[in-house]
Amino acid sequence: MNLALKANPRIGDLLLKYTALTNEQLEECVEIQAAEGGRLGDILLRKKYVLPHEIMRALCAQIEVDYVEEIRSSEVDPKIVDKLPINYAKSREVLPLEWKDGILTVALADPFNLESIEDLRVLFNCAIIKILITSSVRLQEAINRVYERNTSNMIQDIDNDDEENYDLDGPIDILDATEDEAPVIRFVNSVIFRAVKEKASDIHIEPFEKETMIRFRVDGVLHDILHQPKKVHAALSSRIKVMGNLDIAEKRIPQDGRIFRKVAGKEIDIRLSTIPTQFGERIVMRILEKGGELLTLEHLGFEGATLDAIVKMIARENGIFLVTGPTGSGKSTTMAACLSRINTKDINILTVEDPIEYQLNGVGQVQVNAKINLTFANALRSFLRQDPDVIMVGEVRDAETADLAVTAALTGHLVFSSLHTNEAAGAFPRLTDMGVEPFLVASSVNGVIAQRLMRRVCSKCKEPYQATPIELQELGIKNVQGPIQLMRANGCVNCSHTGYSGRINVHELLIMDDNIRALIMKHADSSTIRRAATDKGMITMREDGARKVLAGVTTVQELTRTLNSDD
């Protein structure tokens, strides 16, 4: 559609024609504009002489585009909406309505949003687009209604093999009076399906005073997905607790459970957690794909001298190899990749995990179960009687587990485990704080990886630009000779307009040597140990991240978001 004006009438004249604006009010605002500057429309709104939708209606008349007061969700074709991610629709304020006879009808809040129009032209492969304009508020309301309706209908796409029979196991009176049994079940299943489809790692269901909000964590970042009326929260909570075998009558204390489902042919293991809040139970579901693709160390982002050092270290017959980082930094994935690399028929590998995230062929994997006192420590104690060559302990949480891991390492076993520390050097003070003697730490630990996960910039829409001096300073680059090109996260349909798709590991590897051992024996703090390691050539996480930014894998903004909190 050509949005160029034919006669280019003044906006003031159009407002006089299409609104209750008077000549006196218009002249007053024109005088203010002449004195203070700014846009006439903003001044008219500030003086409350016109309403926002009146200005938009006048603008539409000016450029000969149809303006609609309201969009009914029943008039929207659900099949075409399903092709457009909700994040893109809400951020760009665009909603496809109908695709008929090669013509795509779309609703926009901004008639000059040409970039989104072009995106839709490519996405739907159509030459003709008919534009309807409505207010931003009306369009956002329509987007919420349409996508909520689509989510409730997505059950048709779920693979129901080995699924439940959709009977609610608890009493019917747990449901809200306005909800019947089947819609709640379908809605919960459809939310899970959508989360799996969008590769979310977590589903958050959060009750507030007037509504329940559903958010997905994708690539480590939370995204607002759906808003539901508060009245449905009790039904959602009860249904999910039934699926996780939790006590539906107990709403005063936190509860944990597990949900096993087959969704679209994939076996999904969901860790369920509920906690009581002011407005109801807050629910978080961690999604683990059983038998999911196990990435290699190379695919995780390890390369060069660091990769060679890791390969040599995990080939040793004894000692401890630690992976550190906060929750969600990919520690379990890295340990699984290490085990997969050394997993051969001539060694016995045993693991104790909470939960088991990757299924490894030929490996004995044990799931922690606090209810029967099957803890990390108790499992590790039993492992030593199972003639293992390699042991993996999901996490060192207490002194007992730490002592047993050190004992195993010193008696001829290779031990993998993880710790919650921000940097590699912090692993040693953490172990001594747990009560492990410094000489045992120095004798048993072979090396420590500290890592984070940074989002990859979307390969479909990233664009090059010249780095600014501030960005070069952030990357630690000095004495620059000539311009340096970086990549910018632009955003497109393929990445739900986030600019990012997938994640990559950034890390630092601290290799134990005589100097580090001496510092540990002297109870040196993590800063002293870190300086000694960098003096010997350790590449820090920030330096590794900067390399990946320069290689165009991610962005300066993502590096800052991921690592600045540690500085």
Side-chain angles (χ1 to χ4, degrees):
M1 169 169 283
N2 185 5
L3 299 180
L5 306 183
K6 293 181 178 180
N8 196 25
R10 296 188 307 167
I11 189 70
D13 294 334
L14 290 167
L15 290 170
L16 288 174
K17 178 179 179 181
Y18 291 103
T19 71
L21 182 70
T22 65
N23 280 303
E24 292 75 14
Q25 292 170 335
L26 177 59
E27 290 174 3
E28 176 189 352
C29 292
V30 169
E31 292 175 0
I32 294 175
Q33 182 186 34
E36 301 177 0
R39 294 186 298 182
L40 179 61
D42 293 338
I43 298 171
L44 288 164
L45 290 172
R46 190 173 74 230
K47 299 291 289 185
K48 298 183 179 180
Y49 290 154
V50 295
L51 298 173
H53 71 273
E54 292 178 327
I55 291 182
M56 183 58 70
R57 187 187 294 112
L59 179 60
C60 288
Q62 184 184 39
I63 62 177
E64 297 183 353
V65 173
D66 292 336
Y67 181 90
V68 293
E69 294 288 349
E70 185 177 3
I71 299 173
R72 295 183 177 88
S73 57
S74 59
E75 299 174 349
V76 181
D77 184 350
K79 293 181 180 178
I80 63 171
V81 171
D82 190 49
K83 297 185 66 174
L84 192 70
I86 187 174
N87 291 337
Y88 183 91
K90 296 184 76 169
S91 62
R92 292 299 187 94
E93 294 192 321
V94 54
L95 180 64
L97 305 178
E98 184 183 48
W99 191 8
K100 187 176 182 181
D101 298 330
I103 301 175
L104 178 68
T105 302
V106 300
L108 300 170
D110 178 5
F112 298 104
N113 186 359
L114 302 181
E115 183 178 356
S116 294
I117 295 173
E118 187 58 33
D119 284 346
L120 292 174
R121 192 187 310 280
V122 174
L123 179 63
F124 289 94
N125 191 26
C126 60
I128 304 175
I129 295 181
K130 179 182 177 182
I131 298 172
L132 300 179
I133 303 299
T134 190
S135 69
S136 176
V137 173
R138 296 295 188 191
L139 185 57
Q140 291 286 354
E141 290 175 351
I143 290 172
N144 286 333
R145 289 196 308 270
V146 169
Y147 279 88
E148 286 166 10
R149 182 195 66 183
N150 267 25
T151 297
S152 65
N153 291 333
M154 286 172 66
I155 188 66
Q156 297 174 2
D157 296 322
I158 297 180
D159 185 339
N160 287 316
D161 292 344
D162 300 325
E163 286 275 339
E164 60 173 28
N165 59 7
Y166 297 122
D167 288 331
L168 191 59
D169 299 335
I172 297 301
D173 61 2
I174 66 170
L175 298 177
D176 188 272
T178 61
E179 296 290 328
D180 60 8
E181 187 178 358
V184 174
I185 297 172
R186 287 198 300 268
F187 181 81
V188 171
N189 278 279
S190 64
V191 168
I192 294 173
F193 171 79
R194 179 169 172 182
V196 172
K197 180 182 177 182
E198 298 186 11
K199 299 181 180 180
S201 61
D202 300 85
I203 302 171
H204 290 242
I205 300 178
E206 303 163 332
F208 295 100
E209 184 177 6
K210 296 181 179 179
E211 65 178 1
T212 290
M213 183 165 65
I214 299 175
R215 297 194 289 173
F216 292 168
R217 187 178 295 278
V218 181
D219 291 338
V221 178
L222 279 172
H223 297 280
D224 192 359
I225 299 299
L226 291 173
H227 291 250
Q228 289 288 320
K230 176 65 184 304
K231 64 183 180 180
V232 307
H233 185 76
L236 293 179
S237 174
S238 296
R239 173 58 192 159
I240 292 170
K241 288 167 73 175
V242 165
M243 295 171 71
N245 294 317
L246 303 185
D247 184 352
I248 60 175
E250 181 56 76
K251 302 181 180 181
R252 301 166 298 171
I253 61 175
Q255 297 188 66
D256 296 310
R258 303 283 290 276
I259 299 173
F260 299 96
R261 282 292 178 273
K262 191 172 183 180
V263 179
K266 300 177 181 179
E267 292 187 0
I268 304 299
D269 180 3
I270 299 174
R271 296 168 62 188
L272 173 62
S273 173
T274 71
I275 59 171
T277 66
Q278 181 181 4
F279 300 110
E281 289 181 286
R282 191 178 189 277
I283 299 169
V284 175
M285 294 184 279
R286 167 65 59 87
I287 301 173
L288 303 171
E289 185 179 328
K290 298 179 68 175
E293 179 184 3
L294 180 59
L295 299 177
T296 64
L297 290 170
E298 290 85 351
H299 284 129
L300 292 177
F302 296 100
E303 57 188 6
T306 300
L307 176 62
D308 293 339
I310 293 174
V311 171
K312 290 179 182 179
M313 203 173 300
I314 64 179
R316 295 183 183 180
E317 294 184 351
N318 56 60
I320 299 177
F321 184 66
L322 292 170
V323 183
T324 74
T327 300
S329 58
K331 300 186 296 296
S332 297
T333 303
T334 296
M335 288 193 292
C338 289
L339 291 180
S340 178
R341 186 131 189 163
I342 63 174
N343 183 16
T344 58
K345 293 181 179 180
D346 58 346
I347 63 173
N348 181 21
I349 303 177
L350 296 175
T351 76
V352 54
E353 306 170 63
D354 185 24
I356 297 173
E357 298 190 24
Y358 296 95
Q359 294 180 351
L360 303 173
N361 292 330
V363 175
Q365 297 177 268
V366 176
Q367 167 70 54
V368 166
N369 190 341
K371 293 181 180 179
I372 59 174
N373 201 30
L374 182 54
T375 62
F376 283 117
N378 288 338
L380 182 52
R381 187 178 290 107
S382 299
F383 282 179
L384 296 177
R385 297 189 289 271
Q386 288 279 317
D387 186 31
D389 297 295
V390 178
I391 296 171
M392 194 268 273
V393 183
E395 182 182 346
V396 175
R397 296 178 178 175
D398 51 47
E400 185 180 12
T401 306
D403 282 332
L404 288 168
V406 169
T407 300
L410 294 175
T411 54
H413 305 90
L414 180 62
V415 179
F416 293 85
S417 192
S418 70
L419 280 173
H420 285 284
T421 63
N422 287 332
E423 58 179 358
F428 307 113
R430 176 63 59 85
L431 289 173
T432 56
D433 288 345
M434 288 182 179
V436 182
E437 293 293 338
F439 75 91
L440 293 176
V441 174
S443 302
S444 61
V445 177
N446 295 335
V448 184
I449 289 178
Q451 65 180 51
R452 300 290 186 278
L453 293 177
M454 289 199 309
R455 292 181 294 173
R456 292 176 180 267
V457 65
C458 177
S459 60
K460 301 291 185 181
C461 62
K462 65 180 181 181
E463 59 182 19
Y465 72 101
Q466 185 173 331
T468 66
I470 294 177
E471 289 175 327
L472 294 176
Q473 182 180 353
E474 185 74 21
L475 295 174
I477 299 176
K478 300 177 182 179
N479 303 321
V480 180
Q481 299 294 329
I484 292 181
Q485 181 175 284
L486 304 179
M487 288 295 171
R488 178 185 289 118
N490 193 30
C492 66
V493 175
N494 293 285
C495 59
S496 298
H497 199 59
T498 63
Y500 299 91
S501 179
R503 291 190 288 180
I504 192 170
N505 182 306
V506 288
H507 50 266
E508 59 189 25
L509 173 64
L510 190 156
I511 301 173
M512 182 69 78
D513 59 22
D514 291 340
N515 189 27
I516 300 296
R517 289 190 181 94
L519 291 173
I520 295 172
M521 297 288 285
K522 295 177 183 178
H523 295 271
D525 59 21
S526 60
S527 298
T528 303
I529 296 173
R530 180 183 179 84
R531 282 195 297 272
T534 53
D535 289 343
K536 286 293 185 69
M538 181 182 80
I539 298 172
T540 66
M541 274 190 290
R542 177 164 289 280
E543 291 169 340
D544 183 54
R547 290 180 176 184
K548 290 178 169 64
V549 171
L550 292 171
V553 176
T554 187
T555 65
V556 175
Q557 293 74 21
E558 183 65 7
L559 176 69
T560 302
R561 183 190 72 85
T562 306
L563 297 183
N564 268 14
S565 59
D566 298 331
D567 293 342

